[in-house]
Amino acid sequence: MAIGLLESAITAHLNAEMPQLLTDAVGRNDEIAAFFPSTLVKKPSIQWRVISAGNSSFTSYGEGSPEPAAGAETRLKAELAWKRIGGTVGIDIQILETTPGFELLGDTLKTEMAGALKSYLDQLSTQLVSDGTGNGGLDVTGILAAVSNSITYAGLSRVTYAFWQSVVQAAQGGVLTLAQMKSVSRQIRDGIRDGRVTHWVCNPTIFNLIGDLLEADTQKRIDISQTGARAIGQGLSFEGGYRRLWFEGAEVIEVRGWPAQTLHALDMREISLEVVRDIKANPPKQVADQMSWFMPWSGQLRCNHPGRQGVITGILG
């Protein structure tokens, strides 16, 4: 087979294998990238309309008195630019010329791919939980930018538009309490924000800390489910560590690599990872004695309403 045809066949083979290679990499590393729901889209940028209610309210009034006035809603446009992550996988030309059989060659290149995809997932996961300022602002606008009460997000100032501010609280003396978790949850659910915490997200250290708090509070209804686990007290099961936790009707999720000392209260109905180009091998290029495949990805983390999200910071394990 001519080298040109072989290169095309390898490219097609790699892209056909890509979903399984990615699945294997995520399974090995328990990546943050697997936590966020992703959607493949086709559009030049991420734009959405933001409407803030005009605070119209009902009140009592006397006969002949002026009717209560209606509030004026605020209409704005939020916008995020696509961000790009890419890397190159290469193989020596001599291997192309001397490896007998396409399958053996495919296995050789897939070994390179495994390491490359781990690097890709590590980079994507790091950026998804960042504030987007890394690499000169080229990084994905991550969860630390979306869930904040100070950073401008999607072009909208949180100083100008208070409804765009997330619920941010610091753990007093570094101590996390269930009362503080309840406070954050209630603020997200209040009439102005009208949100709901669907997931509490943290790293394993804080996950175990929450489990200890719930276990100590015998009045709470806790579901920590694991087949064959032994029961410990009211609504609590345990086997070699907490398996599943719930608080205020929302599941507590442990994600390795999540920002340290933080517990995020997220309304995941408002958050998605939008992908305009999923990772895929481009046609190969020869550079000196190496044949290389560039593999780009383009997407962005979108939070429709940061005001319906919250975080507790400064938690000491």
Side-chain angles (χ1 to χ4, degrees):
M1 181 183 291
I3 288 214
L5 294 177
L6 181 58
E7 294 159 358
S8 298
I10 291 172
T11 304
H13 182 66
L14 287 175
N15 287 327
E17 294 283 335
M18 195 73 70
Q20 186 58 53
L21 288 169
L22 280 169
T23 298
D24 292 345
V26 169
R28 284 197 307 271
N29 297 291
D30 214 10
E31 299 291 344
I32 292 169
F35 171 72
F36 293 101
S38 63
T39 304
L40 193 61
V41 299
K42 291 184 177 180
K43 49 190 176 183
S45 66
I46 303 177
Q47 298 181 3
W48 67 99
R49 187 170 58 180
V50 178
I51 301 176
S52 176
N55 297 322
S56 299
S57 60
F58 280 68
T59 185
S60 56
Y61 67 100
E63 184 176 358
S65 299
E67 296 175 354
E73 71 274 4
T74 301
R75 291 174 173 266
L76 304 165
K77 182 183 75 172
E79 183 172 8
L80 291 167
W82 296 118
K83 298 302 178 76
R84 299 172 177 84
I85 297 173
T88 301
V89 175
I91 189 168
D92 194 282
I93 292 293
Q94 185 176 358
I95 297 177
L96 280 170
E97 295 173 342
T98 59
T99 302
F102 173 72
E103 288 302 326
L104 178 58
L105 182 59
D107 290 341
T108 302
L109 192 51
K110 279 197 290 185
T111 300
E112 296 290 330
M113 287 286 295
L117 289 176
K118 182 184 183 304
S119 174
Y120 153 71
L121 288 170
D122 287 346
Q123 186 62 223
L124 178 58
S125 294
T126 297
Q127 294 189 24
L128 285 173
V129 293
S130 75
D131 62 5
T133 60
N135 294 313
L138 296 177
D139 284 2
V140 171
T141 309
I143 201 70
L144 293 187
V147 184
S148 170
N149 60 3
S150 59
I151 301 172
T152 294
Y153 179 71
L156 301 182
S157 168
R158 288 180 164 113
V159 175
T160 305
Y161 305 109
F163 66 84
W164 210 234
Q165 295 179 9
S166 306
V167 177
V168 179
Q169 293 188 10
Q172 296 299 312
V175 179
L176 176 67
T177 65
L178 297 182
Q180 187 169 36
M181 291 175 64
K182 180 182 288 188
S183 171
V184 170
S185 178
R186 298 295 167 84
Q187 287 187 59
I188 291 173
R189 284 162 41 191
D190 72 19
I192 297 174
R193 300 176 189 276
D194 194 27
R196 178 170 66 87
V197 178
T198 62
H199 295 80
W200 300 88
V201 191
C202 57
N203 65 22
T205 299
I206 295 177
F207 179 84
N208 288 328
L209 175 60
I210 295 171
D212 292 344
L213 291 173
L214 291 172
E215 184 177 357
D217 186 354
T218 57
Q219 302 304 312
K220 292 292 179 186
R221 296 287 298 181
I222 311 164
D223 175 20
I224 305 178
S225 59
Q226 172 74 7
T227 303
R230 61 190 178 87
I232 303 180
Q234 177 74 22
L236 173 67
S237 62
F238 180 90
E239 184 181 5
Y242 300 108
R243 301 302 184 192
R244 198 174 183 190
L245 301 171
W246 292 79
F247 181 77
E248 294 272 302
E251 186 170 5
V252 184
I253 306 289
E254 66 169 323
V255 180
R256 287 193 297 173
W258 200 260
Q261 300 185 354
T262 65
L263 170 62
H264 281 78
L266 302 180
D267 186 343
M268 289 300 295
R269 300 171 302 174
E270 303 281 356
I271 299 174
S272 64
L273 176 58
E274 298 199 357
V275 179
V276 69
R277 173 172 179 147
D278 211 351
I279 190 163
K280 183 179 179 181
N282 280 352
K285 294 180 180 180
Q286 182 174 348
V287 179
D289 293 330
Q290 189 177 64
M291 192 64 63
S292 63
W293 286 261
F294 179 61
M295 296 166 47
W297 174 95
S298 183
Q300 182 63 283
L301 186 68
R302 166 176 169 170
C303 177
N304 288 327
H305 200 314
R308 293 173 181 157
Q309 320 298 324
V311 61
I312 301 173
T313 64
I315 303 169
L316 302 180

